[in-house]
Amino acid sequence: PVDPTLHWANPPGGVAGRDTKPTFASTPEPYKGPVPLITHVHGAEGVGDESDGYTESWYLPDANDIPNSYAREGTWYDFFASKAEDRYGAAWGRGYAVQQYPNQNRASTIWYHDHALGITRLNVYAGLAGFYILRGKGSDVIDTRTGMEGILPGPAPKEGDKFPSNKTYYEIPIVIQDRSFNTDGSLFYPNTREFFDGISGPYIPETDLAPIWNPEFFGNMMMVNGNTWPYHTVEKRRYRFRFLNGCQSRFLILDFNAISGVQVWQIGNEGGYLHEPKNLTSLSGNRLTMGLAERADLIVDFTDVPVGDYLLRNVGPDEPFGGGIVGEDFDPSDPESTGQVMQLRVRPARAPDPTTPPQFLRLPPIDPLPDTQKVRRLSLVELTSEDYDAPKIALLGTVDGDPSSAPAKWNALLWSEPLTENPGVGDTEIWELYNTTGDAHPIHVHEVMFEVLDRTEIAVDEGNETVRIAPDAKTYPIEPWETGRKDMITALPHQVTRIRVRFERPGQYVWHCHIIEHEDHEMMRPFRVGPVQEGEPG
């Protein structure tokens, strides 16, 4: 159910009307034409902007039944096609693009998904997402007991393996998604705003509410690697689980407490290995909070777990997440459905476990980021409908002035408004994300891996649209799993979240909220590293 009233790819608009917010004389039905898409490798560093999946570089399939009046490519497609040919001799053509990934990241868990303007939520929901794992050398980790190479659980699935597999995997990528289904087994996704809050219209153009778009979507069933009610058989030994929160709007709080005797350690996040292994069993009570698109590289030790069947649970809410403590600040997810991630069937070990206990792992060093050239203050804003008491749109923007010295006014900007973030090539900046809304927003900055600094409480004056950091405002340290490098950060409500970012590759990129419903309806902004490029779209 494609909502054609958003600012979206809009193929029916033709070349002149593509990548726009169309106008209608009456409320339209869902768009049912050919599907635009463009691939984004989420977390890739050093990628040219022509290969980053810029949201206006989409293309339609090479089909013979597309009306001649339709735009077949997005506004930036031809410009990036020319760059790709100049840079690495790749020719783009009708229905495809050729992109190049230099794989400059540290060894890490990254992933790829569609990124077409205003339709990403639907393309990802339909299945266009997958893992993209970069591996380092075996000597990256050291066993501190011997000084020799550490041994991590493996093997992992790889290209060419038989399916069903004829080997036992001890390293397993696990993408968790929430979905809903119709009674015939087909995917359900709402085709009206009424599903979200009961508002049955009128919609655009009589009012300012989009007729189909939902501010968030929460499926009523958890899915792991494409399977509902999933299970996996494990031995009484250590495993390496690479988790990805691939949900639409749902924050996860993975809860291992129903697995008696389990020990959980985190060794990596989006940017690869942490500074050191973190014992989540002792640090966070066997729980891990994962925002949208976050990854967690865990060693889960089943050695002392009695043989039996156990549930990995989720106690995150079945509604927008605002931080806080489960059971006090919000209710946990439904224990009979979305509270169950997967069943783990623990069986005796087939052989001694050769892997290094995580407490004895020395992880690779992380180079510090250079000194900062600039502090950039940015806003996260939600607007209410003028016709209904209901959310209309979520936006990003800027903050004027220094909120630590006086109330500072925020600005809320649409995708189409002039670019406001333009760091120089090689610059390091601190981005301060002022969340003026009541919900947490998972923020993704393309092309870079950043360092999370801290979070501080802010006073939000909605009437005057200002934020203020009081002299006695509380500052919170980062979570244990937020050390190292990241490409996702959770901006909690009524807090400023600070990250340090270095920009090294010139070009046109984007930053956005990764609640995909938000991203698709204006909570995304372009940014440019370096000067305007000759010949780029205006």
Side-chain angles (χ1 to χ4, degrees):
V2 179
D3 192 329
T5 70
L6 307 185
H7 187 144
W8 75 296
N10 191 29
V15 171
R18 61 186 171 176
D19 299 320
T20 61
K21 181 179 175 65
T23 57
F24 295 91
S26 61
T27 303
E29 295 294 316
Y31 168 81
K32 297 184 183 299
V35 177
L37 58 84
I38 182 67
T39 304
H40 167 55
V41 176
H42 179 127
E45 292 183 280
V47 177
D49 56 356
E50 83 290 336
S51 298
D52 185 55
Y54 192 72
T55 194
E56 291 184 355
S57 62
W58 54 267
Y59 49 88
L60 296 184
D62 182 17
N64 59 16
D65 59 350
I66 297 175
N68 291 332
S69 61
Y70 275 40
R72 285 181 173 263
E73 294 91 21
T75 306
W76 283 73
Y77 179 93
D78 287 341
F79 176 73
F80 285 147
S82 177
K83 288 189 71 172
E85 187 165 12
D86 291 344
R87 280 184 170 176
Y88 43 88
W92 295 17
R94 180 161 288 186
Y96 71 93
V98 180
Q99 299 175 332
Q100 185 178 55
Y101 309 107
N103 298 330
Q104 294 177 355
N105 298 54
R106 304 169 74 234
S108 55
T109 308
I110 55 181
W111 64 302
Y112 63 98
H113 58 80
D114 173 70
H115 216 280
L117 183 67
I119 194 173
T120 297
R121 69 196 182 286
L122 303 174
N123 286 343
V124 172
Y125 191 77
L128 293 181
F131 279 101
Y132 190 114
I133 294 176
L134 293 177
R135 299 194 175 276
K137 301 175 182 178
S139 58
D140 280 352
V141 297
I142 301 297
D143 188 328
T144 58
R145 299 171 300 180
T146 63
M148 306 293 287
E149 176 184 326
I151 301 175
L152 297 175
K158 65 179 182 180
E159 184 179 7
D161 283 358
K162 291 183 178 180
F163 185 82
S165 177
N166 61 349
K167 64 175 71 171
T168 301
Y169 298 121
Y170 298 103
E171 179 191 327
I172 304 171
I174 297 175
V175 55
I176 304 170
Q177 299 167 305
D178 57 343
R179 297 289 184 264
S180 293
F181 296 88
N182 297 306
T183 54
D184 64 357
S186 60
L187 281 169
F188 166 83
Y189 192 87
N191 62 1
T192 171
R193 169 63 184 251
E194 187 174 5
F195 178 85
F196 178 77
D197 52 13
I199 296 176
S200 57
Y203 303 118
I204 290 173
E206 285 79 12
T207 68
D208 60 1
L209 279 194
I212 299 171
W213 175 79
N214 279 228
E216 289 94 17
F217 174 74
F218 294 85
N220 61 9
M221 182 174 292
M222 305 305 285
M223 196 168 73
V224 170
N225 294 355
N227 294 285
T228 55
W229 301 108
Y231 68 89
H232 189 68
T233 301
V234 298
E235 301 172 31
K236 288 169 58 69
R237 52 158 292 163
R238 285 178 284 275
Y239 282 74
R240 185 179 185 181
F241 289 163
R242 293 178 180 259
F243 282 104
L244 159 64
N245 181 350
C247 296
Q248 300 289 115
S249 302
R250 179 186 298 275
F251 280 74
L252 299 170
I253 303 177
L254 301 182
D255 185 357
F256 292 85
N257 284 300
I259 307 172
S260 176
V262 75
Q263 290 281 320
V264 183
W265 292 73
Q266 184 163 354
I267 61 171
N269 56 19
E270 298 94 81
Y273 293 116
L274 305 178
H275 288 282
E276 61 184 6
K278 300 293 185 180
N279 186 344
L280 300 185
T281 301
S282 61
L283 289 173
S284 58
N286 264 340
R287 288 179 174 175
L288 174 65
T289 301
M290 294 190 71
L292 284 302
E294 284 191 316
R295 284 86 76 199
D297 192 349
L298 305 185
I299 293 179
V300 182
D301 192 344
F302 297 96
T303 303
D304 296 326
V305 177
V307 170
D309 299 341
Y310 302 88
L311 285 176
L312 170 59
R313 291 193 171 273
N314 164 49
V315 294
D318 286 328
E319 60 187 11
F321 179 66
I325 300 173
V326 62
E328 296 183 15
D329 300 295
F330 58 88
D331 293 329
S333 52
D334 183 347
E336 300 303 316
S337 57
T338 51
Q340 299 184 27
V341 176
M342 65 186 299
Q343 186 187 65
L344 293 162
R345 301 175 178 179
V346 180
R347 302 295 182 260
R350 302 180 184 183
D353 187 350
T355 65
T356 305
Q359 63 267 34
F360 298 116
L361 288 174
R362 184 169 73 238
L363 304 179
I366 302 174
D367 295 332
L369 290 176
D371 292 338
T372 301
Q373 278 80 34
K374 181 181 179 68
V375 175
R376 198 177 292 276
R377 299 182 178 94
L378 304 164
S379 63
L380 285 59
V381 181
E382 182 178 87
L383 300 186
T384 300
S385 166
E386 296 179 3
D387 301 294
Y388 301 98
D389 183 18
K392 177 180 71 171
I393 197 171
L395 298 169
L396 303 173
T398 59
V399 174
D400 297 334
D402 182 358
S404 64
S405 58
K409 185 172 179 56
W410 75 68
N411 305 290
L413 302 172
L414 299 170
W415 164 257
S416 59
E417 296 189 66
L419 181 147
T420 50
E421 288 72 62
N422 183 202
V425 177
D427 283 358
T428 303
E429 299 188 348
I430 291 178
W431 283 25
E432 296 185 344
L433 307 172
Y434 290 82
N435 185 353
T436 71
T437 79
D439 300 334
H441 294 274
I443 299 299
H444 174 42
V445 184
H446 281 220
E447 176 61 17
V448 299
M449 288 287 174
F450 50 75
E451 176 187 358
V452 185
L453 301 178
D454 56 34
R455 295 178 176 88
T456 300
E457 294 176 345
I458 60 174
V460 176
D461 185 337
E462 295 184 3
N464 292 310
E465 298 182 347
T466 62
V467 290
R468 175 82 165 95
I469 301 175
D472 59 349
K474 185 175 181 180
T475 294
Y476 300 90
I478 64 175
E479 300 291 349
W481 51 83
E482 293 180 325
T483 62
R485 295 285 184 268
K486 288 176 63 63
D487 61 38
M488 294 298 312
I489 185 60
T490 296
L492 291 168
H494 290 200
Q495 291 186 11
V496 52
T497 302
R498 298 182 179 91
I499 60 175
R500 179 181 286 117
V501 195
R502 179 174 172 81
F503 300 93
E504 299 190 72
R505 187 73 182 255
Q508 185 92 355
Y509 303 97
V510 303
W511 67 287
H512 60 86
C513 176
H514 221 289
I515 294 174
I516 318 182
E517 283 75 17
H518 291 185
E519 168 188 342
D520 268 351
H521 194 15
E522 299 291 350
M523 204 169 189
M524 177 165 60
R525 288 282 293 158
F527 74 90
R528 185 176 63 246
V529 181
V532 173
Q533 303 174 76
E534 183 179 354
E536 73 173 40

